Amino acid sequence: MKKYDYDIVIIGAGGAGITASFTGNGFKKKVLLVEKNKIGGECTHSGCVPSKALIKAAKLTYNVTTLKDYSIDLKYKLNTENVMDYVKSIVNKVYEEEKPHSFEERGISVLKGHASFINSNTISVNGENITGKNFIIATGTSPKLPPIKGIDSDYILTNETIFNLEKLPKSMGVIGAGAIGIELAQALNRLGVSVDILLRGDRILKKEEKETSKRIEDILLGEGIEIHKNVKLKKIEDGTIHYLDNGNMGYFSSFEKILVATGRKPNLDNMNLKKIGVDYDSNKIIVNDKLQTSVSNIYAAGDIAGPYRFSHMAEYQGFIAAFNCIFPVKKKTDYSQVLWTTFTDPEISHIGYTEEEAHKKYDNIKVYTETYSHLDRAITDNEQGFVKVICHKDNIVGAHIIGNRAGELIHEIQMLKKFNIPIKKTADMIYAYPTYSDIIRKIGKKAYLDYLNNNLIVKTIKNISK
C-alpha cells in the first residue's frame, strides 16, 4: 500500500515549479503541480514575456524615428492603439505550451487551487487532503507597494496589472528605478507615452556599474524621459504624486496612470507555514544551500527563496530542489556564476563583482575594457557600448557589457569564468568577421599583451635587447 499520494508535490507553477515538475517526472517520480492561477507564473503573464514583447514593439517604433541617421526618408504616423493586443497575443502564444494538458500528457498531475499545509506531509487544496513525501514551495513574489496614502487608487499599476491595459495612457509616472521600472519606462516613452521616473535615491539601476547606469540615464534623458531623484513620496491623489523636498511639500502634475515598481514581497498568505515549522521572514522563505527549509522534506525555490529574483535563477533552483527531493546525496546551490541582463536599449549584462566591489574584495585586480567604437560590426550598425572584464590574477571575477546583444555576448565570458579559463586565452581564437563577439577577442588580446609584458622571460629579453 502506498504511503503518500505523490513523491513530489510542487506548489506554484512559475519558472521554478515548472522546472521542478519536469525534473521529477524525468526521474520517473509521481509529481503533482498545484497552481492557483495560470501555469507560467509571473514570467509568462506579467513579467519576462509581455515586457519583452512591449520592448520589441517600442524598439521597432524607435528605429523608424532614426531612419534619417541612415539617409532614409520615411513619412509615417505613429499609432499605438493596438500595441497591447500584440503583447497579449504573444503571452497567449507562449501560454499555449504551458496549459495543463501539456503537463498531463507527460504524466505530471496538475491541480488548480490554493494549497495550505495541514502537516509536513499533507496539504489541503479545494477541501481535498493530498499527501506527499516531499514538497517544493515555488509560489513566487508579488509587487510590494510603499505605505503611502492613495497607493490603492485606480491610477496605480504594477507589473501584474499594466499588461491588462487595453490602450496605453497619454502620461505615466514610474515610481522605482530598478530593472522593471527602467525597462518599461523606456518602452512606454518610445510608444508615445509621456514618462516621468521618480526614485528615492540618486542613481537608477544601482546594482550596475556606475558608468553603465549613467549611460542609460543619459540615453533616457535624451529620449525625453524626465528623471526625478531623491524623492520622498507622501501621497497620491487624483493621479498627482505629492512629495517632500527639504521639508517642503511639492507635487508632480497629474498622471493618467502611475506604475509602481518599488520591490517585491513573498507569496505566503494562508499557507500555514508557521504552524508546521517552516521559517520565513518578510522577504523570503529561509533555506539552506540545498534549498531545504527548516522542515527537511519541504524545499523552496525561485523568487520565494531568493536571493536572486530572475527566471533563469528560478529554473536553476527548481532543478536542484527536485534533484534533492529524489537523491540522498544532495546538490548545493552555487551562486558564484550568477548573471543577469537588463533589457533596456542598449542592453546591460552583468556577471560577478563591479569594479568598485572587486577593489574592496581583492588587493590586486586587472580591468580590461573595449568599446564598440573599435568594433567594425557595431560601427556599421551605428551602435555604441563597451565591455569591461575584471580579473584577479588569471580569474575573471566580474564582467559588464552595455550595448547591442549584451545579453548574448555575456555568455561567452560566463563560460570562461565558470571553467576558470583566463580571458587571454581568447587572443588566438579565430572569430568570424564582422561580429559583435569579436570584442571578446579584442579584450583577450589586451590581457595577453599584459601577460607578456609582465612575463619575467619577456622582460629579460627586452632588457637585453635595449
Side-chain angles (χ1 to χ4, degrees):
M1 180 176 167
K2 66 178 182 179
K3 189 174 180 180
Y4 302 108
D5 297 325
Y6 294 93
D7 298 308
I8 306 174
V9 177
I10 301 159
I11 305 171
I18 290 173
T19 301
S21 70
F22 287 161
T23 303
N25 178 255
F27 284 112
K28 309 301 180 186
K29 297 299 179 182
K30 190 176 182 183
V31 176
L32 171 66
L33 186 60
V34 182
E35 172 55 57
K36 67 178 182 179
N37 297 309
K38 286 184 176 180
I39 293 176
E42 181 189 49
C43 186
T44 297
H45 302 288
S46 58
C48 318
V49 173
S51 66
K52 303 311 166 282
L54 189 71
I55 287 167
K56 176 65 174 180
K59 172 72 170 176
L60 291 173
T61 302
Y62 180 74
N63 285 348
V64 172
T65 69
T66 64
L67 286 176
K68 61 181 181 299
D69 296 339
Y70 302 89
S71 300
I72 298 172
D73 185 27
L74 175 69
K75 294 181 180 178
Y76 65 93
K77 181 180 179 181
L78 179 63
N79 183 352
T80 63
E81 187 172 339
N82 298 316
V83 71
M84 296 308 290
D85 291 337
Y86 164 73
V87 171
K88 291 180 177 70
S89 74
I90 296 300
V91 171
N92 290 335
K93 186 175 183 179
V94 172
Y95 181 56
E96 280 298 319
E97 300 299 318
E98 297 176 342
K99 287 185 175 179
H101 68 81
S102 64
F103 290 80
E104 290 161 351
E105 288 171 356
R106 295 170 178 256
I108 299 168
S109 298
V110 178
L111 181 60
K112 184 172 183 178
H114 177 81
S116 59
F117 281 91
I118 294 174
N119 57 51
S120 61
N121 289 106
T122 310
I123 58 171
S124 174
V125 183
N126 303 328
E128 177 187 358
N129 287 357
I130 299 165
T131 61
K133 182 179 180 181
N134 292 286
F135 290 82
I136 299 172
I137 302 172
T139 50
T141 60
S142 299
K144 183 178 182 180
L145 304 180
I148 61 173
K149 184 180 178 180
I151 199 68
D152 57 349
S153 75
D154 292 338
Y155 291 92
I156 302 299
L157 297 170
T158 68
N159 73 294
E160 291 185 346
T161 57
I162 189 170
F163 300 110
N164 296 331
L165 291 173
E166 296 296 326
K167 309 294 180 186
L168 292 179
K170 291 183 174 61
S171 63
M172 186 174 293
V174 177
I175 301 174
I180 294 173
I182 296 301
E183 285 182 4
L184 292 180
Q186 185 182 40
L188 291 166
N189 181 69
R190 288 179 165 189
L191 290 166
V193 180
S194 176
V195 174
D196 286 57
I197 298 171
L198 292 73
L199 61 151
R200 64 181 180 181
D202 59 2
R203 184 160 71 94
I204 68 170
L205 301 172
K206 62 183 180 180
K207 292 183 180 179
E208 303 298 339
E209 284 272 340
K210 289 180 179 179
E211 182 182 1
T212 301
S213 60
K214 181 64 169 63
R215 285 207 184 191
I216 292 296
E217 179 180 326
D218 290 343
I219 288 168
L220 297 181
L221 291 171
E223 293 182 8
I225 294 175
E226 297 286 341
I227 300 177
H228 311 278
K229 300 178 181 179
N230 302 307
V231 173
K232 295 181 180 179
L233 300 178
K234 296 301 291 182
K235 66 177 180 179
I236 296 172
E237 188 175 47
D238 296 330
T240 298
I241 300 173
H242 297 260
Y243 65 94
L244 200 63
D245 183 12
N246 294 321
N248 299 314
M249 187 67 78
Y251 66 90
F252 295 106
S253 298
S254 181
F255 297 105
E256 191 172 331
K257 290 292 181 181
I258 298 170
L259 173 66
V260 180
T262 52
R264 312 289 297 177
K265 62 180 181 180
N267 294 330
L268 298 174
D269 291 347
N270 303 315
M271 291 187 69
N272 291 333
L273 296 183
K274 189 174 182 179
K275 173 184 174 182
I276 64 170
V278 172
D279 293 335
Y280 60 91
D281 58 28
S282 61
N283 193 46
K284 64 187 180 305
I285 291 178
I286 297 169
V287 295
N288 62 18
D289 58 3
K290 303 174 187 67
L291 298 178
Q292 285 174 302
T293 69
S294 50
V295 179
S296 62
N297 72 307
I298 300 177
Y299 296 76
D303 287 7
I304 196 70
Y308 299 98
R309 288 172 171 165
F310 303 108
S311 294
H312 49 280
M313 294 307 298
E315 292 182 12
Y316 170 75
Q317 289 182 332
F319 172 79
I320 291 177
F323 183 96
N324 289 344
C325 285
I326 298 166
F327 296 101
V329 178
K330 310 297 185 186
K331 280 183 174 290
K332 293 183 179 181
T333 52
D334 176 11
Y335 298 130
S336 63
Q337 308 303 327
V338 172
L339 79 166
W340 63 79
T341 295
T342 302
F343 294 91
T344 47
D345 183 20
E347 294 176 352
I348 305 168
S349 287
H350 178 132
I351 294 175
Y353 297 115
T354 63
E355 184 176 347
E356 183 178 352
E357 291 167 343
H359 275 297
K360 292 177 181 178
K361 176 80 173 176
Y362 303 105
D363 291 332
N364 185 28
I365 66 168
K366 296 279 188 180
V367 180
Y368 303 102
T369 62
E370 186 58 89
T371 67
Y372 276 35
S373 61
H374 296 149
L375 189 67
D376 288 355
R377 179 57 186 274
I379 294 171
T380 63
D381 288 351
N382 197 24
E383 296 285 349
Q384 300 294 320
F386 71 86
V387 178
K388 174 187 287 189
V389 178
I390 306 159
C391 302
H392 176 243
K393 297 181 179 177
D394 262 350
N395 298 317
I396 297 171
V397 297
H400 306 271
I401 306 175
I402 177 171
N404 191 29
R405 308 192 191 184
E408 313 302 328
L409 290 174
I410 199 69
H411 292 91
E412 182 175 350
I413 304 176
Q414 170 79 322
M415 186 169 63
L416 296 173
K417 183 177 183 294
K418 177 174 174 57
F419 295 107
N420 297 314
I421 301 171
I423 189 73
K424 68 175 183 277
K425 292 288 187 180
T426 64
D428 60 356
M429 283 179 59
I430 299 173
Y431 282 70
Y433 175 88
T435 61
Y436 283 91
S437 296
D438 195 41
I439 200 167
I440 308 300
R441 181 179 64 91
K442 289 178 180 292
I443 287 181
K445 282 185 173 182
K446 289 185 176 183
Y448 186 63
L449 286 173
D450 192 35
Y451 162 76
L452 288 178
N453 287 328
N454 287 283
N455 182 276
L456 183 61
I457 296 173
V458 174
K459 283 183 176 180
T460 303
I461 294 172
K462 281 184 175 180
N463 289 331
I464 293 172
S465 62
K466 283 183 180 178

